[in-house]
Coordinates of all heavy atoms in Angstrom, one line a residue:
Y20 N 143.6 130.9 74.7 CA 142.3 130.9 75.2 C 141.3 130.3 74.2 O 140.3 129.6 74.8 CB 142.1 132.5 75.3 CG 140.6 132.8 75.6 CD1 140.1 132.7 76.9 CD2 139.7 133.2 74.7 CE1 138.9 132.9 77.3 CE2 138.3 133.4 75.0 CZ 138.0 133.3 76.4 OH 136.7 133.5 76.8
W21 N 141.5 130.4 72.9 CA 140.5 130.0 72.0 C 140.3 128.4 71.9 O 139.4 128.0 71.4 CB 140.8 130.5 70.7 CG 140.6 132.0 70.7 CD1 141.8 132.8 70.6 CD2 139.6 132.9 71.0 NE1 141.4 134.3 70.7 CE2 140.0 134.3 71.0 CE3 138.3 132.5 71.1 CZ2 139.2 135.3 71.2 CZ3 137.4 133.8 71.3 CH2 137.8 135.0 71.4
N22 N 141.4 127.7 72.4 CA 141.4 126.3 72.2 C 140.9 125.7 73.6 O 140.8 124.4 73.7 CB 142.7 125.8 72.1 CG 143.1 126.0 70.6 OD1 142.2 126.2 69.8 ND2 144.4 126.0 70.4
R23 N 140.3 126.4 74.6 CA 139.9 125.9 75.8 C 138.5 125.4 75.7 O 137.7 125.9 74.9 CB 139.9 126.8 76.9 CG 141.3 127.3 77.4 CD 141.2 128.2 78.6 NE 142.6 128.7 78.8 CZ 143.0 129.9 79.2 NH1 142.0 130.7 79.3 NH2 144.3 130.2 79.3
R24 N 138.2 124.3 76.3 CA 136.8 123.6 76.1 C 135.7 124.5 76.8 O 136.0 124.9 78.0 CB 136.9 122.2 76.7 CG 135.6 121.5 76.7 CD 135.7 120.1 77.1 NE 134.5 119.5 77.5 CZ 133.5 119.0 76.5 NH1 133.8 119.1 75.2 NH2 132.5 118.4 76.9
S25 N 134.7 124.8 76.3 CA 133.5 125.5 76.8 C 132.4 124.7 76.9 O 132.2 123.5 76.3 CB 133.4 126.9 76.1 OG 133.0 126.5 74.7
F26 N 131.3 125.1 77.5 CA 130.0 124.4 77.6 C 129.4 124.3 76.2 O 129.4 125.2 75.4 CB 129.0 125.2 78.5 CG 127.8 124.7 78.6 CD1 127.4 123.5 79.3 CD2 126.7 125.2 77.8 CE1 126.3 122.9 79.2 CE2 125.5 124.6 77.8 CZ 125.2 123.5 78.5
S27 N 128.9 123.2 76.0 CA 128.3 122.9 74.7 C 126.9 122.3 75.0 O 126.8 121.4 75.8 CB 129.1 122.1 73.8 OG 128.3 121.8 72.6
Y28 N 125.8 122.7 74.2 CA 124.5 122.0 74.4 C 124.6 120.5 74.0 O 123.7 119.7 74.5 CB 123.4 122.7 73.6 CG 123.1 124.1 74.2 CD1 123.5 125.2 73.8 CD2 122.4 124.1 75.4 CE1 123.1 126.4 74.4 CE2 122.0 125.1 76.1 CZ 122.4 126.5 75.6 OH 122.2 127.6 76.1
S29 N 125.5 120.1 73.3 CA 125.7 118.7 72.9 C 126.1 117.9 74.1 O 125.9 116.6 74.1 CB 126.7 118.5 71.7 OG 128.0 118.9 72.2
D30 N 126.5 118.6 75.2 CA 126.9 117.8 76.4 C 125.6 117.4 77.3 O 125.7 116.7 78.1 CB 127.8 118.6 77.4 CG 129.2 119.0 76.7 OD1 129.6 118.2 75.7 OD2 129.8 119.9 77.1
V31 N 124.5 118.0 76.9 CA 123.2 117.8 77.7 C 122.4 116.8 76.9 O 122.1 116.8 75.7 CB 122.5 119.1 77.8 CG1 121.2 118.8 78.8 CG2 123.3 120.2 78.5
S32 N 121.9 115.8 77.7 CA 121.2 114.6 77.0 C 119.8 115.1 76.5 O 119.3 116.1 77.1 CB 120.9 113.6 78.0 OG 119.9 113.9 79.0
P33 N 119.3 114.6 75.5 CA 118.0 114.9 75.0 C 116.8 115.0 75.9 O 116.0 115.8 76.0 CB 117.6 114.1 73.8 CG 119.0 113.5 73.4 CD 119.8 113.5 74.7
R35 N 117.2 115.4 79.2 CA 117.4 116.5 80.2 C 116.9 117.9 79.5 O 116.4 118.8 80.2 CB 118.8 116.5 80.5 CG 119.0 117.7 81.7 CD 120.5 117.5 82.2 NE 120.6 118.3 83.4 CZ 120.7 117.8 84.5 NH1 120.8 116.5 84.8 NH2 120.7 118.5 85.6
R36 N 117.2 118.1 78.2 CA 116.7 119.2 77.4 C 115.2 119.3 77.5 O 114.6 120.5 77.6 CB 117.1 119.1 76.0 CG 118.7 119.3 75.9 CD 119.0 119.4 74.4 NE 120.2 119.0 74.2 CZ 120.8 118.8 73.1 NH1 120.1 119.0 71.9 NH2 122.2 118.5 72.8
I39 N 114.3 120.4 81.1 CA 114.5 121.8 81.3 C 113.6 122.7 80.5 O 113.0 123.6 81.1 CB 116.0 122.2 80.7 CG1 117.1 121.5 81.8 CG2 116.2 123.6 80.8 CD1 118.4 121.4 81.3

Side-chain angles (χ1 to χ4, degrees):
Y20 176 80
W21 301 110
N22 290 336
R23 293 187 186 140
R24 180 170 162 82
S25 62
F26 175 76
S27 171
Y28 285 106
S29 63
D30 296 337
V31 181
S32 72
R35 188 170 193 113
R36 289 184 205 173
I39 291 170

